Amino acid sequence: MMSDYKGEALHTDPNFQLGGLLEPSPKDEGFQAIQQVTGWTRRGSTVTFRCRTSRDEEAQIILQVCAPDLLRLRLVPPGESLERGSLMLVRETFPRAAFTVRETPDRVTVQTSRLRVELAKDPWELSIRDARGRVICRENRSDTNLRGTPRVRFLGYARDASGQVARVHEAFFLAPDECLYGFGEKFTPMDKRGQRIDCWNFNTWGTTNERAYKNVPFFMSSKGYGVFINSSRRSIYDLGTAGSSVSTAIEVRDSRLDLFFLYGPSLKQVLRGYTDLTGRPPVPPKWSFGLWMSRYGYRTRQELEKVGEELRKRDIPCDVLHLDPYWMRENQYADLVWDEQAFPKPAEMIGGLRAKGFRLCLWLQPWIPQTSEVYAEGERGGYFARRADGLVYLYAPTIPRTPVPCGIVDFSNPEAARWYQGKIRRLAEAGVSAFKTDFGEAIPEDAHFHNGLTGKDMHNLYPILYNRTFYEVFEALGGDRVVWSRSAFAGSQRYPVHWGGDPFCSFTDLALALWAGLSIGMSGFPFWSHDIGGFEGKPTPEVYVRWAQFGLLSSHSRCHGTTPREPWEYGDRAVRIFRRYAKLRYRLLPYLYACAHEAARSGIPVMRAMVLEFQDDPLTHGLDLQYMLGPSLLVAPVYDGTTRRSIYLPRGTWTDFWSDRTYQGPSAIEYPAPLEVLPLLVRDDCIIPLGPEMPFVGERPTDPLTLEVYLTSTARCTVEDGDATTRVTAVRRPGVTLITIVGPERTYIITPHRTKTPRRVSVNSRPLPRRADKKAFDHNPQGWWRDPRGRVQVKVRGSGELRVRLLD
């Protein structure tokens, strides 16, 4: 395959100079709505409706009952194909679900055990009710002005000037009290009502608007349903904006509509259903939950090794050091070839870092520069995306700053993927543990790929193939590796971890990062991170510290930016505070890792919007500047320069993690938060497992395991630790607290909060001695004591079932 580069033909990133809002959709002079049902047939799990449009064409609507709470609705215009594979879905076949179909003169009703679909035949209008008859969702054909002119486009399609179907449409009623969540990593308020969403991946050049690196054509409603558009084409959502306050209007720039409807009724159930369709991630390696230290970028081996030495000397735990582009030769980004002048003997360097507890992550992007010998390999093999004339499609990425013509690796070509994987495998076998898979958002619409698709389809799909390529290598090597990815689409959650791109170094951008993290968590991505301190510029010490507190209590934690992000660059006070929260993170690893296992099973994110845990409290529905870390810890980052934080507490008892002060919800509190303090509260009836302090993950066994018990009635927790699982149950009854531990041989330290000094403590019916002070408590294998603050601690050692009883 030949290439042809001339300056005027070089494709550059269109997002680099594009400013302002996206262009509005073209006027649809040829739009036609589905108007009338002329007949229907049932076959297996599908009901196919023959329909006439408002322009008297005949189209098909296919309703498939995938499960009692999962429906698939497909609009197939005349001349269009029904079947089309999807990289987004992990399942497209479903066990047969029982349902009935009943027809009356004016409607057809499809009934499952959980849903009732009612279809008005003329004019077409679909509504979905739950088993009690309550309307969950309905199309909104009544959204017109006083003269009957539609304000939104109902279910239908539009042809372009050539007569081809170019867009399909749908519109749902939006209730006055309804909130909408999802759509990927959007840097806008979590409730997307009142916003216009464009599901089209962008290199955002900042993180202060609706544009996103990670778009997901899925949303959930506070009314208990979710909608997933199974198309990789650009889709646009008008969610109750000035066009209409009572409609969710959907436009998909595709030739057919393929829509999944998921019923909850809780948001957690909807999220589980969506990730059943599009997949869930494996549990990332435990070391990936440690701290990652990075900047743009370390330029020599000596500089990198010096950072590692400084972290250990200053007693700051860390697991991963990262190299941005400069590990490769100048202007050869990213041909995956070491610059051995700047980083001599890379295998020796990697081994030396590993011996000190550091793993190495390498940056790359999916473009191969034409000036590299690796490009010649790819050109000979036909491994790059092509132009319509068959020549290599040359693209100019934004790294380096001076455009260098590059080939776009065509991961849809199995041979190209294997070629690229060979290079990744050599790096992984040399000890590289992670790859930062940057970019991937700028696939040109007119590029052609091996799988027969153009960039119109591949633009959003490309990140799935890009990151899948790495995970296939990781699986072959036994796992224990991970990507750190910026671009994504529906289904990309199967290949964690993802991070939030390039914010400025400001308090405002800290808050916007929080919005983005909650939104992507509501879109099926359980593992997510962000650049501590912000990316562009240098943060003030206050911004750095507040961002570090937030970042060290996120799913994953990485310091990164265009200027140094090591804490000692921000003064001694910043170092002290950073160290405190980094050590807290490492102690929380048993809790975080348990959350990770739950996420892999259910799709529920580690970092959770308040509404996910407290959906029955309407005051949480728009609450997006605080969050739950897992099910039990409420985190309220300070996102301005103040030293107080307003926090909303849902119903129940909440305990200040730092002081043990209790609060009763529902209530709003003003929390004193000097720079050293991140507001952190613990939910009642929970157990927080803590490990020992360590400089890196796995430096020592999780022994002792500390169990912080916050108890009114019953609490449970599970600790996953390699091949061992520990299960803990705590029950409080009048006069007695019983804590049952089933797990491997180790020491367990139990701290029952809000507990009076017990009369007697026993383990498996044997009395435990009371120790006089902390020194005696620490130096004996078992016993209990009461510290000067009034907190009781119990220490036991053993395996199997340990029944610890505290008598009041």
Side-chain angles (χ1 to χ4, degrees):
M1 186 178 294
M2 298 179 61
S3 60
D4 178 27
Y5 168 62
K6 297 178 182 178
E8 67 275 12
L10 183 63
H11 187 285
T12 57
D13 183 350
N15 307 316
F16 184 75
Q17 295 180 344
L18 187 63
L21 296 174
L22 291 165
E23 79 284 355
S25 304
K27 291 183 179 179
D28 286 339
E29 302 295 342
F31 172 73
Q32 47 193 310
I34 299 298
Q35 188 66 28
Q36 179 187 38
V37 175
T38 60
W40 62 272
T41 58
R42 173 177 176 173
R43 182 176 181 181
S45 63
T46 62
V47 182
T48 300
F49 298 93
R50 298 185 303 278
C51 302
R52 304 299 299 180
T53 71
S54 55
R55 291 177 177 258
D56 205 33
E57 290 187 0
E58 185 171 289
Q60 286 186 328
I61 305 290
I62 301 171
L63 177 66
Q64 180 181 1
V65 178
C66 303
D69 53 3
L70 176 63
L71 306 173
R72 187 177 192 178
L73 184 73
R74 284 177 281 185
L75 162 61
V76 186
E80 296 299 325
S81 170
L82 170 64
E83 299 303 328
R84 182 192 299 173
S86 174
L87 281 172
M88 296 172 283
L89 299 177
V90 294
R91 58 182 305 200
E92 291 193 73
T93 60
F94 304 89
R96 190 163 182 170
F99 67 95
T100 60
V101 184
R102 183 169 56 90
E103 183 176 19
T104 63
D106 63 343
R107 68 186 55 242
V108 178
T109 302
V110 177
Q111 179 91 46
T112 78
S113 61
R114 301 198 68 192
L115 297 173
R116 185 167 84 238
V117 181
E118 295 181 348
L119 174 60
K121 294 194 287 188
D122 189 9
W124 167 286
E125 189 171 36
L126 180 146
S127 65
I128 303 174
R129 298 174 182 266
D130 64 16
R132 296 176 298 164
R134 180 181 65 93
V135 174
I136 305 163
C137 179
R138 64 177 174 85
E139 293 175 328
N140 199 18
R141 205 172 183 96
S142 61
D143 192 1
T144 68
N145 66 16
L146 295 178
R147 295 177 179 235
T149 303
R151 296 186 187 277
V152 295
R153 300 181 183 105
F154 310 141
L155 180 64
Y157 55 91
R159 299 185 183 277
D160 61 19
S162 70
Q164 299 297 310
V165 176
R167 292 178 297 284
V168 289
H169 296 268
E170 177 62 296
F172 295 109
F173 174 69
L174 185 58
D177 61 343
E178 189 169 356
C179 300
L180 300 174
Y181 312 106
F183 296 106
E185 183 192 66
K186 298 290 184 179
F187 303 94
T188 60
M190 182 184 68
D191 177 7
K192 298 300 185 280
R193 187 193 182 109
Q195 300 181 33
R196 184 174 183 269
I197 300 294
D198 186 0
C199 274
W200 189 250
N201 284 351
F202 279 93
N203 178 1
T204 66
W205 295 100
T207 58
T208 55
N209 59 29
E210 178 274 337
R211 286 186 179 162
Y213 311 99
K214 307 171 192 67
N215 286 275
V216 180
F218 164 73
F219 65 91
M220 299 188 291
S221 164
S222 58
K223 295 298 184 182
Y225 70 88
V227 172
F228 170 54
I229 303 298
N230 182 31
S231 173
S232 65
R233 292 286 184 97
R234 191 175 204 154
S235 54
I236 298 170
Y237 305 80
D238 192 290
L239 308 172
T241 69
S244 172
S245 297
V246 295
S247 288
T248 295
I250 301 170
E251 173 190 318
V252 187
R253 296 187 179 175
D254 205 338
S255 60
R256 65 170 194 168
L257 177 67
D258 187 358
L259 179 154
F260 285 90
F261 177 90
L262 305 101
Y263 170 60
S266 76
L267 292 171
K268 280 187 176 180
Q269 288 171 294
V270 174
L271 202 51
R272 287 189 185 101
Y274 168 69
T275 54
D276 275 342
L277 280 176
T278 59
R280 298 185 183 120
V283 177
K286 195 170 185 179
W287 56 261
S288 75
F289 292 88
L291 176 65
W292 299 46
M293 187 59 66
S294 173
R295 70 167 82 152
Y296 183 75
Y298 305 122
R299 293 176 179 261
T300 67
R301 172 177 171 174
Q302 182 181 20
E303 186 178 16
L304 180 72
E305 291 173 334
K306 178 65 176 174
V307 169
E309 291 170 5
E310 199 70 19
L311 285 163
R312 294 289 182 252
K313 184 175 75 174
R314 292 177 182 266
D315 191 27
I316 297 171
C318 182
D319 269 79
V320 183
L321 298 178
H322 170 73
L323 290 173
D324 251 24
Y326 306 112
W327 70 275
M328 291 171 285
R329 298 166 296 175
E330 187 175 0
N331 288 339
Q332 302 296 356
Y333 319 133
D335 65 358
L336 312 187
V337 177
W338 278 99
D339 179 350
E340 297 204 37
Q341 290 189 335
F343 295 91
K345 300 180 180 179
E348 176 190 89
M349 178 189 73
I350 295 168
L353 291 173
R354 180 66 70 87
K356 297 174 182 176
F358 293 108
R359 292 173 181 264
L360 185 66
C361 176
L362 297 180
W363 176 97
L364 46 81
Q365 60 185 9
W367 334 119
I368 307 294
Q370 198 178 33
T371 51
S372 170
E373 66 276 15
V374 177
Y375 175 91
E377 289 179 36
E379 185 183 25
R380 286 193 301 270
Y383 300 150
F384 298 128
R386 295 172 289 117
R387 303 189 326 195
D389 60 9
L391 297 178
V392 172
Y393 201 116
L394 292 173
Y395 173 79
T398 55
I399 294 179
R401 300 286 184 183
T402 304
V404 174
C406 292
I408 304 168
V409 180
D410 184 354
F411 293 112
S412 78
N413 180 348
E415 291 185 7
R418 284 192 290 271
W419 168 72
Y420 195 84
Q421 285 172 335
K423 301 180 183 304
I424 294 300
R425 181 169 186 139
R426 284 192 290 274
L427 291 165
E429 288 176 335
V432 176
S433 295
F435 295 90
K436 177 181 171 182
T437 50
D438 209 352
F439 293 88
E441 310 94 357
I443 298 302
E445 291 189 46
D446 58 343
H448 290 254
F449 289 84
H450 180 270
N451 61 3
L453 300 179
T454 69
K456 287 185 178 180
D457 291 289
M458 286 291 291
H459 178 91
N460 284 333
L461 287 179
Y462 191 83
I464 301 177
L465 293 171
Y466 180 19
N467 290 291
R468 185 180 75 181
T469 300
F470 287 81
Y471 266 82
E472 289 174 347
V473 175
F474 300 163
E475 185 176 7
L477 294 176
D480 199 39
R481 293 168 180 84
V482 73
V483 295
W484 191 268
S485 180
R486 190 174 78 169
S487 58
F489 196 59
S492 290
Q493 68 270 12
R494 304 191 295 261
Y495 313 112
V497 172
H498 295 82
W499 104 97
D502 299 341
F504 288 104
C505 303
S506 72
F507 279 119
T508 298
D509 282 74
L510 186 162
L512 299 182
L514 176 51
W515 282 349
L518 296 181
S519 289
I520 199 166
M522 298 289 261
S523 306
F525 285 70
F527 304 114
W528 176 86
S529 187
H530 46 98
D531 287 349
I532 288 176
F535 174 75
E536 182 64 33
K538 185 168 184 177
T540 65
E542 291 76 14
V543 167
Y544 179 81
V545 165
R546 291 305 195 188
W547 210 316
Q549 291 168 341
F550 165 38
L552 289 164
L553 288 178
S554 298
S555 157
H556 284 72
S557 302
R558 183 184 74 152
C559 298
H560 182 71
T562 57
T563 55
R565 289 293 178 271
E566 297 80 27
W568 50 88
E569 298 284 344
Y570 299 88
D572 292 341
R573 187 184 186 192
V575 170
R576 289 193 302 272
I577 299 171
F578 190 100
R579 182 190 297 117
R580 180 191 190 194
Y581 285 90
K583 288 191 171 189
L584 172 61
R585 178 175 185 83
Y586 275 70
R587 292 211 66 198
L588 280 168
L589 282 172
Y591 175 75
L592 292 170
Y593 204 51
C595 295
H597 279 264
E598 181 187 359
R601 289 190 299 267
S602 67
I604 306 302
V606 174
M607 182 175 148
R608 305 176 185 181
M610 296 296 293
V611 68
L612 263 185
E613 288 294 326
F614 304 97
Q615 189 176 343
D616 59 348
D617 183 343
L619 293 181
T620 68
H621 289 193
L623 201 59
D624 56 12
L625 289 170
Q626 62 185 64
Y627 62 95
M628 298 297 294
L629 184 64
S632 304
L633 292 175
L634 190 159
V635 185
V638 178
Y639 53 88
D640 53 26
T642 65
T643 56
R644 296 189 70 81
R645 179 65 161 85
S646 296
I647 304 171
Y648 176 71
L649 304 177
R651 183 179 302 278
T653 300
W654 296 83
T655 303
D656 187 336
F657 182 84
W658 309 111
S659 70
D660 261 7
R661 178 181 175 182
T662 60
Y663 302 87
Q664 292 299 317
S667 63
I669 64 170
E670 288 294 316
Y671 188 105
L675 188 61
E676 286 78 7
V677 177
L678 168 72
L680 181 62
L681 295 110
V682 187
R683 190 178 185 174
D684 200 22
D685 280 337
C686 75
I687 302 168
I688 307 294
L690 301 175
E693 289 187 1
M694 57 184 75
F696 57 90
V697 175
E699 182 267 345
R700 56 180 294 187
T702 307
D703 193 353
L705 179 66
T706 299
L707 302 170
E708 303 283 333
V709 181
Y710 299 82
L711 192 61
T712 295
S713 58
T714 303
R716 293 180 176 86
C717 81
T718 300
V719 177
E720 307 282 355
D721 191 13
D723 296 331
T725 299
T726 302
R727 291 182 172 85
V728 186
T729 303
V731 178
R732 177 169 288 172
R733 301 191 186 106
V736 64
T737 299
L738 177 63
I739 299 163
T740 303
I741 304 168
V742 180
E745 173 78 25
R746 67 175 143 207
T747 297
Y748 298 92
I749 298 175
I750 303 164
T751 304
H753 293 257
R754 307 194 311 270
T755 298
K756 297 177 182 178
T757 303
R759 291 187 295 107
R760 181 173 180 268
V761 179
S762 64
V763 56
N764 293 347
S765 301
R766 295 189 301 274
L768 280 177
R770 180 173 182 173
R771 305 301 179 185
D773 52 30
K774 187 176 189 307
K775 182 177 179 181
F777 178 80
D778 289 342
H779 284 80
N780 282 280
Q782 297 199 122
W784 69 276
W785 81 302
R786 184 179 183 272
D787 73 15
R789 295 172 58 189
R791 292 193 305 178
V792 173
Q793 283 190 307
V794 179
K795 182 196 289 186
V796 297
R797 184 165 186 87
S799 62
E801 184 175 274
L802 302 173
R803 295 171 61 84
V804 179
R805 189 183 302 270
L806 291 81
L807 296 177
D808 291 351

